[in-house]
C-alpha cells in the first residue's frame, strides 16, 4: 500500500501563525527580508524561527569558514562542512527547512 500526501496548502502549512496574527500578518511576514550579520548560534536560531513560519527572504553574511569550534556550538553545522563558508552552509540548511523562503549566504567579512 502506497499512500501519497497531496501538497500542503499555504493555509494548512501556516495554520498556527494564521490563528495568531491573521492573514494580513502572514502576508507581511512573507514579504519581509532579514539579514543576519555573523553566524553566531543565537542569530542562526532566531533566523530559523523566522524561516519556519515563512519569512520572505533571508541573507546570511559571514566571512569565516566552518571550524571545529563551530560544530560544538551551532546545531546546524556538521563535520562534513568543515572548511566551507559558514554563511553559505547555514543559509542552505535554513532554506531546506521551508521551500517557501528565498535567500542566500554571502561569504564576506563583517
Amino acid at each position: 500500500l502506497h499512500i501519497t500526501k497531496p501538497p500542503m496548502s499555504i493555509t494548512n502549512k501556516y495554520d498556527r501563525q494564521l490563528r495568531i496574527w491573521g492573514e494580513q500578518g502572514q502576508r507581511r511576514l512573507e514579504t519581509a527580508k532579514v539579514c543576519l550579520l555573523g553566524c553566531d548560534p543565537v542569530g542562526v536560531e532566531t533566523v530559523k524561527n523566522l524561516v519556519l513560519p515563512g519569512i520572505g527572504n533571508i541573507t546570511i553574511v559571514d566571512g569565516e569558514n566552518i571550524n571545529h569550534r563551530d560544530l560544538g556550538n551551532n546545531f546546524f553545522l556538521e563535520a562534513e562542512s568543515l572548511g566551507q563558508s559558514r554563511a553559505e552552509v547555514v543559509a542552505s540548511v535554513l532554506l531546506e527547512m521551508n521551500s517557501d523562503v528565498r535567500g542566500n549566504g554571502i561569504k564576506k567579512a563583517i
Side-chain angles (χ1 to χ4, degrees):
L1 178 65
H2 180 67
I3 300 173
T4 58
K5 258 171 92 172
M8 187 181 294
S9 75
I10 295 296
T11 304
N12 290 336
K13 185 175 184 177
Y14 299 121
D15 182 60
R16 188 181 298 181
Q17 291 86 249
L18 289 168
R19 284 189 257 163
I20 294 171
W21 51 64
E23 288 182 27
Q24 182 180 11
Q26 185 64 32
R27 279 193 304 275
R28 285 183 175 173
L29 181 67
E30 290 170 359
T31 59
K33 298 177 181 180
V34 169
C35 179
L36 174 65
L37 301 176
C39 290
D40 69 313
V42 174
V44 173
E45 182 69 20
T46 301
V47 174
K48 179 208 67 156
N49 290 331
L50 294 170
V51 166
L52 291 176
I55 193 160
N57 190 292
I58 62 167
T59 299
I60 311 289
V61 181
D62 191 295
E64 301 295 320
N65 288 333
I66 297 168
N67 59 49
H68 287 287
R69 191 185 73 198
D70 294 323
L71 301 179
N73 68 15
N74 195 322
F75 176 78
F76 296 100
L77 302 177
E78 298 180 351
E80 297 80 32
S81 302
L82 279 170
Q84 296 179 35
S85 164
R86 212 164 30 188
E88 293 171 2
V89 171
V90 167
S92 176
V93 171
L94 289 173
L95 292 172
E96 286 178 15
M97 300 178 94
N98 189 334
S99 61
D100 295 332
V101 177
R102 301 289 170 247
N104 62 326
I106 299 171
K107 184 176 181 179
K108 184 174 182 178
I110 50 172

